[in-house]
Amino acid sequence: QHGENTFPESERIPWWQEYLGGFTDTTIVILIIAAFIAIVLGILSGKLPYDGIAILVAVVLATTVSFVNEVIW
């Protein structure tokens, strides 16, 4: 009488857009800016920019773990 008892399907966001969306968090953006500043200062001082690389690795790792947690759970 009132139609099927189903929900309309919503548009699915591609996984890569969801993953990249994790990098738009304010804290993550601040850490990325700090990493690039540390990398530039490291290169200008003639040393390897270990600090900036470490910050970028930590940001990518944290965003990836967060994304996997959201997708799996």
Side-chain angles (χ1 to χ4, degrees):
Q1 174 181 356
H2 296 288
E4 293 183 33
N5 191 15
T6 59
F7 290 109
E9 287 190 31
S10 60
E11 280 191 38
R12 180 94 172 127
I13 298 172
W15 66 269
W16 57 271
Q17 280 185 337
E18 287 187 31
Y19 179 71
L20 292 178
F23 290 97
T24 60
D25 182 55
T26 306
T27 307
I28 299 296
V29 171
I30 291 170
L31 286 171
I32 291 171
I33 292 169
F36 281 117
I37 291 171
I39 289 171
V40 168
L41 291 177
I43 291 172
L44 291 177
S45 68
K47 300 178 183 175
L48 290 175
Y50 291 120
D51 295 337
I53 293 170
I55 294 170
L56 283 179
V57 168
V59 165
V60 170
L61 185 63
T63 305
T64 302
V65 168
S66 174
F67 171 74
V68 170
N69 261 344
E70 287 181 18
V71 170
I72 292 178
W73 304 108

Coordinates of all heavy atoms in Angstrom, one line a residue:
Q1 N 0.8 -1.2 0.0 CA 0.0 0.0 0.0 C 0.9 1.3 0.0 O 0.6 2.2 -0.7 CB -0.9 0.0 1.2 CG -1.7 1.2 1.4 CD -2.6 1.1 2.6 OE1 -2.7 0.1 3.3 NE2 -3.3 2.2 2.9
H2 N 2.0 1.3 0.8 CA 2.8 2.5 0.9 C 4.2 2.3 0.2 O 5.0 3.2 0.4 CB 3.0 2.8 2.4 CG 1.8 3.2 3.1 ND1 1.1 4.4 2.9 CD2 1.1 2.5 4.0 CE1 0.1 4.5 3.7 NE2 0.0 3.3 4.4
G3 N 4.3 1.3 -0.5 CA 5.6 1.0 -1.2 C 6.5 0.1 -0.4 O 6.2 -0.4 0.7
E4 N 7.7 -0.1 -0.9 CA 8.7 -1.1 -0.3 C 9.2 -0.5 1.0 O 9.3 0.8 1.1 CB 9.8 -1.4 -1.3 CG 9.4 -2.2 -2.5 CD 10.6 -2.5 -3.3 OE1 11.7 -2.7 -2.8 OE2 10.4 -2.6 -4.6
N5 N 9.6 -1.3 1.9 CA 10.1 -0.9 3.2 C 11.7 -0.9 3.1 O 12.3 -1.7 3.7 CB 9.7 -1.9 4.3 CG 10.0 -1.4 5.7 OD1 10.3 -0.2 5.8 ND2 9.9 -2.2 6.6
T6 N 12.2 0.0 2.3 CA 13.7 0.2 2.1 C 14.1 1.6 2.2 O 13.3 2.5 2.0 CB 14.1 -0.4 0.7 OG1 13.4 0.3 -0.3 CG2 13.8 -1.9 0.6
F7 N 15.3 1.8 2.5 CA 15.9 3.1 2.5 C 16.5 3.4 1.1 O 17.0 2.6 0.5 CB 17.0 3.2 3.6 CG 16.6 3.2 5.0 CD1 16.8 2.1 5.8 CD2 15.9 4.3 5.5 CE1 16.4 2.0 7.1 CE2 15.4 4.2 6.8 CZ 15.7 3.1 7.6
P8 N 16.4 4.7 0.7 CA 17.0 5.0 -0.6 C 18.5 5.0 -0.4 O 19.1 5.3 0.6 CB 16.6 6.5 -0.8 CG 16.2 7.0 0.5 CD 15.7 5.8 1.3
E9 N 19.2 4.5 -1.5 CA 20.7 4.4 -1.4 C 21.3 5.8 -1.6 O 20.9 6.5 -2.4 CB 21.2 3.5 -2.5 CG 20.9 2.0 -2.3 CD 21.6 1.1 -3.3 OE1 22.7 1.5 -3.8 OE2 21.1 0.1 -3.6
S10 N 22.2 6.1 -0.7 CA 22.9 7.4 -0.8 C 24.2 7.2 -1.6 O 24.7 6.1 -1.8 CB 23.3 7.9 0.6 OG 24.2 6.9 1.2
E11 N 24.7 8.3 -2.1 CA 25.9 8.2 -3.0 C 27.0 7.9 -2.1 O 27.2 8.4 -1.0 CB 26.1 9.6 -3.6 CG 25.3 9.9 -4.8 CD 25.8 11.1 -5.6 OE1 27.0 11.3 -5.6 OE2 25.0 11.8 -6.1
R12 N 27.8 6.9 -2.6 CA 29.0 6.4 -1.8 C 30.2 7.3 -2.2 O 30.5 7.6 -3.4 CB 29.3 5.0 -2.2 CG 30.4 4.4 -1.6 CD 30.0 3.6 -0.3 NE 31.1 2.9 0.2 CZ 31.6 3.0 1.4 NH1 30.9 3.7 2.2 NH2 32.6 2.3 1.8
I13 N 30.9 7.8 -1.1 CA 32.1 8.6 -1.3 C 33.2 7.7 -1.6 O 33.4 6.7 -0.9 CB 32.4 9.5 -0.1 CG1 31.2 10.4 0.2 CG2 33.7 10.2 -0.3 CD1 31.3 11.2 1.5
P14 N 34.0 7.9 -2.6 CA 35.2 7.0 -2.9 C 36.1 7.0 -1.7 O 36.3 8.0 -1.0 CB 35.9 7.7 -4.1 CG 34.8 8.6 -4.7 CD 33.9 9.0 -3.6
W15 N 36.8 5.8 -1.5 CA 37.6 5.6 -0.4 C 38.8 6.6 -0.3 O 39.2 7.1 0.7 CB 38.2 4.2 -0.3 CG 39.1 3.9 -1.4 CD1 38.8 3.3 -2.6 CD2 40.5 4.1 -1.5 NE1 39.9 3.2 -3.4 CE2 41.0 3.6 -2.7 CE3 41.4 4.6 -0.5 CZ2 42.3 3.7 -3.1 CZ3 42.8 4.7 -0.9 CH2 43.2 4.2 -2.2
W16 N 39.3 7.0 -1.5 CA 40.5 7.9 -1.5 C 40.1 9.3 -1.1 O 40.9 10.0 -0.5 CB 41.1 7.9 -2.9 CG 40.3 8.2 -4.0 CD1 39.5 7.4 -4.8 CD2 40.0 9.5 -4.5 NE1 38.8 8.1 -5.7 CE2 39.1 9.4 -5.6 CE3 40.5 10.8 -4.2 CZ2 38.6 10.5 -6.3 CZ3 40.0 11.9 -4.9 CH2 39.1 11.7 -6.0
Q17 N 38.8 9.7 -1.4 CA 38.3 11.0 -0.9 C 38.1 11.0 0.6 O 38.4 12.0 1.3 CB 37.0 11.4 -1.6 CG 37.2 11.9 -3.0 CD 35.9 12.4 -3.6 OE1 34.8 12.0 -3.2 NE2 36.0 13.3 -4.6
E18 N 37.7 9.9 1.1 CA 37.5 9.8 2.6 C 38.9 9.9 3.3 O 39.1 10.5 4.3 CB 36.8 8.5 3.0 CG 35.3 8.5 2.7 CD 34.6 7.3 3.2 OE1 35.0 6.8 4.2 OE2 33.6 6.9 2.6
Y19 N 39.9 9.2 2.7 CA 41.2 9.2 3.2 C 41.8 10.6 3.2 O 42.4 11.0 4.2 CB 42.1 8.2 2.4 CG 43.5 8.1 3.0 CD1 43.8 7.5 4.2 CD2 44.6 8.7 2.2 CE1 45.1 7.5 4.7 CE2 45.9 8.6 2.7 CZ 46.1 8.0 3.9 OH 47.4 8.0 4.4
L20 N 41.8 11.2 2.0 CA 42.3 12.6 1.9 C 41.6 13.6 2.8 O 42.1 14.6 3.2 CB 42.3 13.0 0.5 CG 43.3 12.3 -0.5 CD1 43.1 12.8 -1.9 CD2 44.7 12.4 0.0
G21 N 40.3 13.3 3.1 CA 39.5 14.2 4.0 C 40.1 14.2 5.4 O 39.9 15.1 6.1
G22 N 40.8 13.1 5.8 CA 41.4 13.1 7.1 C 42.5 14.1 7.3 O 42.9 14.4 8.4
F23 N 43.1 14.5 6.1 CA 44.2 15.5 6.2 C 43.7 17.0 6.3 O 44.4 17.9 6.3 CB 45.1 15.4 5.0 CG 45.9 14.1 5.0 CD1 45.5 13.0 4.2 CD2 47.1 14.0 5.7 CE1 46.2 11.9 4.2 CE2 47.8 12.9 5.7 CZ 47.4 11.8 5.0
T24 N 42.3 17.2 6.4 CA 41.8 18.5 6.5 C 41.5 18.9 7.9 O 41.1 20.0 8.2 CB 40.5 18.6 5.7 OG1 39.5 17.7 6.1 CG2 40.8 18.4 4.2
D25 N 41.7 18.0 8.9 CA 41.6 18.3 10.3 C 42.5 19.4 10.7 O 43.7 19.5 10.2 CB 41.8 17.1 11.1 CG 41.6 17.3 12.6 OD1 40.5 17.8 12.9 OD2 42.5 17.1 13.4
T26 N 42.1 20.4 11.5 CA 42.9 21.5 11.9 C 44.3 21.1 12.4 O 45.3 21.7 12.1 CB 42.2 22.4 12.9 OG1 40.9 22.7 12.3 CG2 42.9 23.7 13.1
T27 N 44.3 20.2 13.3 CA 45.5 19.7 14.0 C 46.5 19.1 12.9 O 47.7 19.4 13.0 CB 45.2 18.7 15.1 OG1 44.3 19.2 16.0 CG2 46.5 18.3 15.8
I28 N 45.9 18.4 12.0 CA 46.8 17.7 11.0 C 47.4 18.8 10.1 O 48.5 18.7 9.7 CB 45.9 16.7 10.2 CG1 45.5 15.6 11.1 CG2 46.7 16.1 9.0 CD1 46.5 14.7 11.7
V29 N 46.6 19.8 9.7 CA 47.1 20.9 8.8 C 48.2 21.6 9.5 O 49.2 21.9 8.9 CB 45.9 21.8 8.4 CG1 46.4 23.1 7.7 CG2 44.9 21.1 7.6
I30 N 48.0 21.9 10.8 CA 49.1 22.6 11.6 C 50.4 21.8 11.6 O 51.5 22.3 11.4 CB 48.6 23.0 13.0 CG1 47.5 24.0 12.9 CG2 49.8 23.4 13.9 CD1 46.8 24.3 14.2
L31 N 50.2 20.5 11.8 CA 51.4 19.6 11.8 C 52.1 19.5 10.4 O 53.3 19.5 10.3 CB 51.0 18.2 12.3 CG 50.7 18.1 13.8 CD1 50.2 16.7 14.1 CD2 52.0 18.3 14.6
I32 N 51.3 19.5 9.4 CA 51.9 19.5 8.0 C 52.6 20.8 7.8 O 53.8 20.7 7.2 CB 50.8 19.2 7.0 CG1 50.2 17.8 7.1 CG2 51.3 19.5 5.6 CD1 49.0 17.5 6.3
I33 N 52.1 21.9 8.2 CA 52.8 23.2 8.0 C 54.1 23.2 8.8 O 55.1 23.6 8.3 CB 51.9 24.4 8.4 CG1 50.7 24.5 7.4 CG2 52.6 25.7 8.5 CD1 49.6 25.4 7.8
A34 N 54.0 22.7 10.0 CA 55.2 22.6 10.9 C 56.3 21.7 10.2 O 57.5 22.0 10.3 CB 54.9 22.1 12.3
A35 N 55.8 20.6 9.6 CA 56.7 19.7 9.0 C 57.5 20.4 7.8 O 58.7 20.2 7.7 CB 56.0 18.4 8.5
F36 N 56.7 21.1 7.0 CA 57.3 21.7 5.9 C 58.3 22.8 6.3 O 59.3 23.0 5.7 CB 56.3 22.3 4.9 CG 55.7 21.2 4.0 CD1 54.3 20.9 4.1 CD2 56.5 20.5 3.1 CE1 53.8 19.9 3.3 CE2 56.0 19.5 2.3 CZ 54.6 19.2 2.4
I37 N 57.9 23.6 7.3 CA 58.9 24.6 7.9 C 60.1 23.9 8.4 O 61.2 24.4 8.1 CB 58.2 25.4 9.0 CG1 57.1 26.3 8.4 CG2 59.2 26.2 9.8 CD1 56.2 27.0 9.4
A38 N 60.0 22.8 9.1 CA 61.2 22.1 9.6 C 62.0 21.5 8.5 O 63.2 21.5 8.6 CB 60.7 20.9 10.5
I39 N 61.4 21.0 7.4 CA 62.1 20.5 6.3 C 62.9 21.6 5.6 O 64.1 21.5 5.3 CB 61.2 19.8 5.3 CG1 60.7 18.5 5.9 CG2 61.8 19.6 3.9 CD1 59.6 17.8 5.1
V40 N 62.2 22.8 5.4 CA 62.9 23.9 4.7 C 64.0 24.4 5.5 O 65.1 24.6 5.0 CB 61.9 25.0 4.4 CG1 62.6 26.3 4.0 CG2 60.9 24.6 3.3
L41 N 63.8 24.6 6.8 CA 64.9 25.0 7.7 C 66.1 24.0 7.8 O 67.2 24.4 7.8 CB 64.4 25.3 9.1 CG 63.5 26.5 9.2 CD1 62.9 26.7 10.6 CD2 64.2 27.8 8.8
G42 N 65.7 22.7 7.7 CA 66.8 21.7 7.7 C 67.6 21.7 6.5 O 68.8 21.6 6.5
I43 N 66.9 21.9 5.3 CA 67.7 22.0 4.1 C 68.5 23.3 4.0 O 69.7 23.2 3.6 CB 66.7 21.9 2.9 CG1 66.0 20.5 2.8 CG2 67.3 22.3 1.6 CD1 64.9 20.4 1.8
L44 N 68.0 24.4 4.5 CA 68.7 25.6 4.4 C 69.9 25.6 5.4 O 70.9 26.3 5.1 CB 67.8 26.8 4.8 CG 66.7 27.2 3.8 CD1 65.9 28.3 4.3 CD2 67.4 27.5 2.4
S45 N 69.9 24.8 6.4 CA 71.0 24.8 7.3 C 72.0 23.7 6.9 O 73.1 23.6 7.5 CB 70.5 24.4 8.8 OG 70.0 23.1 8.8
G46 N 71.7 23.0 5.8 CA 72.7 22.1 5.2 C 72.6 20.7 5.9 O 73.5 19.9 5.7
K47 N 71.6 20.5 6.7 CA 71.5 19.2 7.4 C 70.3 18.4 6.8 O 69.5 19.0 6.1 CB 71.3 19.4 8.9 CG 72.4 20.1 9.6 CD 72.1 20.3 11.0 CE 73.2 21.1 11.7 NZ 72.9 21.4 13.1
L48 N 70.2 17.1 7.1 CA 69.1 16.4 6.7 C 67.9 16.7 7.6 O 68.0 16.8 8.8 CB 69.4 14.9 6.8 CG 70.3 14.3 5.7 CD1 70.6 12.9 6.0 CD2 69.8 14.5 4.3
P49 N 66.7 17.0 7.0 CA 65.6 17.4 7.8 C 64.8 16.3 8.5 O 63.7 16.0 8.2 CB 64.7 18.1 6.8 CG 65.0 17.4 5.5 CD 66.5 17.0 5.6
Y50 N 65.5 15.6 9.5 CA 64.9 14.5 10.1 C 63.6 14.8 10.9 O 62.7 14.1 10.9 CB 65.9 13.8 11.1 CG 67.1 13.2 10.5 CD1 68.4 13.6 10.7 CD2 66.8 12.1 9.6 CE1 69.4 12.9 10.1 CE2 67.9 11.5 9.0 CZ 69.2 11.9 9.2 OH 70.3 11.3 8.6
D51 N 63.6 16.0 11.5 CA 62.4 16.4 12.3 C 61.2 16.5 11.4 O 60.1 16.0 11.7 CB 62.7 17.7 13.0 CG 63.7 17.6 14.1 OD1 64.0 16.5 14.6 OD2 64.3 18.7 14.4
G52 N 61.3 17.2 10.3 CA 60.2 17.4 9.4 C 59.7 16.1 8.8 O 58.5 15.9 8.7
I53 N 60.6 15.2 8.4 CA 60.3 13.9 7.9 C 59.6 13.1 9.0 O 58.6 12.4 8.7 CB 61.5 13.2 7.4 CG1 62.1 13.9 6.1 CG2 61.2 11.7 7.0 CD1 63.4 13.4 5.7
A54 N 60.0 13.2 10.2 CA 59.4 12.4 11.3 C 58.0 12.9 11.5 O 57.0 12.1 11.8 CB 60.2 12.5 12.6
I55 N 57.8 14.2 11.4 CA 56.4 14.8 11.6 C 55.5 14.3 10.5 O 54.4 13.9 10.8 CB 56.5 16.3 11.7 CG1 57.2 16.8 12.9 CG2 55.1 16.9 11.7 CD1 57.5 18.3 12.9
L56 N 56.0 14.3 9.3 CA 55.2 13.9 8.2 C 54.8 12.4 8.3 O 53.7 12.0 8.0 CB 55.9 14.1 6.8 CG 55.8 15.6 6.3 CD1 56.6 15.7 5.0 CD2 54.4 16.0 6.2
V57 N 55.8 11.6 8.7 CA 55.5 10.1 8.9 C 54.5 9.9 9.9 O 53.6 9.1 9.8 CB 56.8 9.4 9.2 CG1 56.6 8.0 9.7 CG2 57.7 9.4 8.0
A58 N 54.6 10.7 11.0 CA 53.6 10.5 12.1 C 52.2 11.0 11.7 O 51.2 10.3 12.0 CB 54.1 11.4 13.3
V59 N 52.1 12.0 10.9 CA 50.8 12.5 10.4 C 50.2 11.5 9.5 O 49.0 11.1 9.6 CB 51.0 13.9 9.7 CG1 49.8 14.2 8.9 CG2 51.3 14.9 10.7
V60 N 51.0 10.9 8.5 CA 50.5 9.9 7.6 C 50.0 8.7 8.4 O 49.0 8.1 8.1 CB 51.5 9.6 6.5 CG1 51.1 8.4 5.7 CG2 51.7 10.8 5.6
L61 N 50.8 8.3 9.3 CA 50.5 7.1 10.1 C 49.2 7.3 10.9 O 48.3 6.4 10.9 CB 51.7 6.7 11.0 CG 51.5 5.4 11.8 CD1 51.5 4.2 10.9 CD2 52.7 5.3 12.8
A62 N 49.1 8.4 11.6 CA 47.9 8.7 12.4 C 46.7 8.8 11.5 O 45.6 8.2 11.9 CB 48.1 10.0 13.2
T63 N 46.8 9.4 10.4 CA 45.6 9.6 9.5 C 45.2 8.2 8.9 O 44.0 7.9 8.8 CB 45.9 10.6 8.3 OG1 46.3 11.8 8.9 CG2 44.7 10.8 7.5
T64 N 46.2 7.4 8.6 CA 45.9 6.1 8.0 C 45.3 5.2 9.1 O 44.3 4.5 8.8 CB 47.2 5.4 7.5 OG1 47.8 6.2 6.5 CG2 47.0 4.0 6.9
V65 N 45.8 5.2 10.3 CA 45.1 4.4 11.3 C 43.7 4.9 11.6 O 42.8 4.0 11.8 CB 46.0 4.5 12.6 CG1 45.3 3.9 13.8 CG2 47.3 3.7 12.4
S66 N 43.5 6.1 11.6 CA 42.1 6.7 11.8 C 41.2 6.3 10.7 O 40.1 5.9 10.9 CB 42.2 8.2 11.9 OG 40.9 8.8 11.9
F67 N 41.7 6.3 9.4 CA 40.9 5.9 8.3 C 40.6 4.4 8.4 O 39.4 4.0 8.1 CB 41.6 6.2 7.0 CG 41.0 5.7 5.8 CD1 39.8 6.2 5.3 CD2 41.5 4.6 5.1 CE1 39.2 5.7 4.1 CE2 40.9 4.1 4.0 CZ 39.8 4.6 3.5
V68 N 41.5 3.6 8.7 CA 41.3 2.2 8.8 C 40.3 1.8 9.9 O 39.4 1.0 9.7 CB 42.6 1.4 9.0 CG1 42.4 -0.1 9.3 CG2 43.5 1.5 7.7
N69 N 40.4 2.5 11.0 CA 39.5 2.4 12.1 C 38.0 2.7 11.7 O 37.1 2.0 12.0 CB 39.8 3.2 13.3 CG 40.6 2.5 14.3 OD1 40.6 1.3 14.3 ND2 41.2 3.2 15.2
E70 N 37.9 3.8 10.9 CA 36.5 4.2 10.5 C 36.0 3.2 9.4 O 34.8 2.9 9.5 CB 36.6 5.6 9.9 CG 36.8 6.6 10.9 CD 36.8 8.0 10.3 OE1 36.3 8.2 9.1 OE2 37.2 9.0 10.9
V71 N 36.8 2.7 8.6 CA 36.3 1.8 7.5 C 36.0 0.4 8.0 O 35.0 -0.2 7.7 CB 37.4 1.7 6.4 CG1 37.0 0.6 5.4 CG2 37.5 3.0 5.6
I72 N 36.9 -0.1 8.9 CA 36.7 -1.5 9.4 C 35.7 -1.6 10.5 O 34.8 -2.5 10.5 CB 38.1 -2.0 9.9 CG1 39.0 -2.2 8.7 CG2 37.9 -3.3 10.7 CD1 40.4 -2.7 9.1
W73 N 35.7 -0.6 11.4 CA 34.7 -0.7 12.5 C 33.5 0.1 12.1 O 32.6 0.4 12.5 CB 35.3 -0.2 13.8 CG 36.5 -0.9 14.1 CD1 37.8 -0.4 14.1 CD2 36.7 -2.2 14.6 NE1 38.7 -1.4 14.4 CE2 38.0 -2.5 14.8 CE3 35.7 -3.3 14.8 CZ2 38.5 -3.8 15.2 CZ3 36.2 -4.5 15.2 CH2 37.5 -4.7 15.4

